[in-house]
């Protein structure tokens, strides 16, 4: 991208703002490397909702969609909004409204004393469909029964799986589709049908489907058998947190949501896999690693490969030399961990 990139910053709730603050100096560093960018900070989250009644106003959504290239997002979720309405209307609105079909969640082991001997090394990545399934938010609570509808469209499934096959081709990873088509005959039946079609078109990719229950057992027994995992929104959510455990937990897992068909100017959203972590919010305990690795994924998406690699290497070097927050058994604060990583940038 040659033009100046416009990045919206949405800290959100809880630890979201604490970890996002550590990404800002990395943006400044990329800017110093000659990457042209401007940022705008947006206030949407629980505080703003409780003060104004606004979640993500339609006008603000349109400005983001048509006036920004990407979003860096902290996290949403606040005990003061128990039904999570603002989280739905901000985060799910962005994922769905921007048609960010692919949620890429790589889990790559970076050696770190805290993990040695405790978990096997992994190089797994998840391509999670990010806009549909039960997240379509159609359902009802009726006397004696409750319904959550799961909608799967051929367009989104094809887009997600098409991107997954392309990714597997370029990385050499094997591809496994997680599904429950033995029970969810309609929705997951559609996934399997399109997967089989694409498998025939990509003979070089070692691809197979697995029932998600059996897949989870195999993943825990020996994750080294797995490379790229594709799944619908719901299964992908669960699988990605399980895989995050292999690389050190929620504090270190990154994600990038993007739109393969590029329907709008704003086509990527980088956010850590973790949530707002109300149990540790405001204490400077959050690990910013997942946020910084998400920032690296965004750099790569923008075509800034040297900066992406340098930031990932800085994270690897910091972890390898024992820099760690409390979740990894250390005593660094969020800020100190952010600095430890930044100090290792070239
Ligand atoms: P969570 O990810 O917020 O926390 C789960 C556990 O991981 C907690 O013990 C927490 O302390 C720990 N943790 C999370 N992030 C960490 C970090 N950066 N460093 C160290 N430890 C970290 O999940 P939850 O507790 O199930 O959800 C809390 C709220 O966040 C809920 O409202 C939920 O809906 C929301 N949530 C939001 C997102 C998002 O914005 N993308 C993702 C997941 C959950
Ligand atoms: C995630 C979160 C979200 C999800 C919630 C907060 C809506 O768990 O980003 O993984 O389920 O997608
Ligand atoms: Mn999740």
């Amino acid at each position: 991208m040659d033009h100046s990139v416009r990045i919206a910053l949405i800290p959100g709730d809880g630890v979201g703002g604490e970890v996002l603050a550590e990404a800002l100096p990395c943006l400044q560093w990329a800017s110093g490397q000659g990457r042209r960018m401007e940022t705008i900070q947006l206030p949407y989250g629980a505080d703003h909702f409780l003060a104004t009644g606004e979640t993500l106003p339609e006008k603000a959504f349109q400005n983001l969609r048509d006036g920004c290239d990407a979003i860096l997002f902290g996290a949403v979720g606040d005990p003061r909004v128990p039904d999570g309405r603002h989280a739905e209307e901000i985060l799910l609105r962005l994922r769905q409204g921007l048609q960010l079909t692919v949620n890429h969640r790589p889990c790559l082991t970076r050696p770190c004393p805290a993990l040695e001997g405790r978990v096997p090394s992994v190089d797994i990545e998840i391509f999670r469909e990010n806009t549909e399934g039960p997240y379509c938010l159609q359902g009802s609570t009726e006397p004696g029964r409750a319904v959550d509808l799961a909608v799967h469209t051929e367009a989104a499934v094809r887009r997600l799986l098409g991107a997954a096959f392309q990714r597997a081709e370029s990385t050499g990873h094997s591809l496994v589709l997680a599904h429950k088509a033995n029970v969810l005959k309609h929705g997951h039946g559609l996934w399997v049908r399109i997967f089989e079609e694409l498998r025939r078109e990509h003979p070089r990719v070692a691809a197979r489907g697995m029932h998600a229950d059996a897949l989870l057992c195999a993943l825990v027994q020996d994750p080294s058998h797995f490379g790229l995992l594709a799944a619908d929104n719901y299964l992908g959510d669960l699988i990605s947190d399980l895989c995050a455990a292999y690389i050190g937990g929620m504090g270190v897992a990154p994600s990038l949501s993007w739109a393969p068909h590029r329907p709008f100017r704003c086509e990527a959203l980088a956010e850590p896999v973790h949530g707002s972590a109300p149990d540790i919010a405001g204490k400077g305990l959050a690990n910013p690693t997942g946020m910084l690795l998400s920032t690296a994924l965004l750099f790569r998406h923008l075509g800034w490969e040297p900066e992406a690699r340098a930031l990932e290497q800085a994270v690897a070097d910091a972890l390898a030399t024992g820099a760690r927050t409390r979740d990894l058994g250390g005593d660094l604060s969020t800020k100190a961990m952010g600095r430890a990583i930044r100090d290792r940038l070239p």
Side-chain angles (χ1 to χ4, degrees), residues 276-345:
S276 55
D279 54 333
I280 57 165
K283 299 179 181 161
L285 294 173
N287 190 341
T289 303
M291 181 80 240
L292 295 185
L293 289 173
S294 305
T295 307
L297 292 177
L298 178 60
F299 286 174
R300 181 164 293 119
H301 186 84
L302 294 169
W304 304 352
E305 182 62 27
E307 288 77 10
R309 274 180 199 231
L311 183 48
E312 286 170 347
Q313 191 58 50
V315 167
D317 292 345
L319 290 172
T321 49
R324 47 194 163 138
T325 39
R326 198 180 68 168
D327 53 315
L328 294 178
D331 58 9
L332 292 188
S333 67
T334 307
K335 283 186 191 312
M337 185 71 190
R339 203 174 314 117
I341 294 170
R342 263 187 332 268
D343 284 350
R344 289 167 170 86
L345 286 169

Side-chain angles (χ1 to χ4, degrees), residues 13 15 19 73-79 81 84 86-87 91 95 105 237 241 249-252 271-281 285-291 325-328:
D13 306 329
V15 300
V19 296
F73 195 93
V76 278
D78 188 301
V81 190
H86 74 298
L91 183 58
R95 290 176 181 172
R105 294 183 157 185
D237 184 38
D241 281 25
M250 300 312 294
V252 302
E271 53 169 330
V273 172
H274 67 74
S276 55
D279 54 333
I280 57 165
L285 294 173
N287 190 341
T289 303
M291 181 80 240
T325 39
R326 198 180 68 168
D327 53 315
L328 294 178

Side-chain angles (χ1 to χ4, degrees), residues 217-230:
C217 180
L219 257 179
V220 171
Q221 283 177 327
D222 189 356
S224 71
H225 290 136
F226 297 94
L228 180 58
L229 305 174

Side-chain angles (χ1 to χ4, degrees), residues 164-165 167-177 195-196 198-210 225-230:
F165 272 95
R167 176 78 183 166
E169 251 172 3
S170 68
T171 58
H173 266 159
S174 65
L175 172 61
V176 169
L177 170 69
F195 187 77
E196 286 307 317
L198 292 174
R199 197 166 67 82
R200 285 191 289 276
E201 288 169 19
H202 296 81
R204 283 183 304 150
V205 177
R208 66 195 167 117
M210 280 182 80
H225 290 136
F226 297 94
L228 180 58
L229 305 174

Side-chain angles (χ1 to χ4, degrees), residues 73 75-77 84 87-88 91-92 95 103 105 128-130 135 137 233-234 236-238 240-241 250 255 257 271-276:
F73 195 93
V76 278
E88 266 170 29
L91 183 58
L92 298 190
R95 290 176 181 172
N103 183 212
R105 294 183 157 185
R128 166 192 181 190
E129 201 289 320
N130 206 28
Y135 286 73
L137 305 177
N233 208 344
Y234 188 42
D237 184 38
L238 307 183
S240 59
D241 281 25
M250 300 312 294
S255 89
S257 300
E271 53 169 330
V273 172
H274 67 74
S276 55

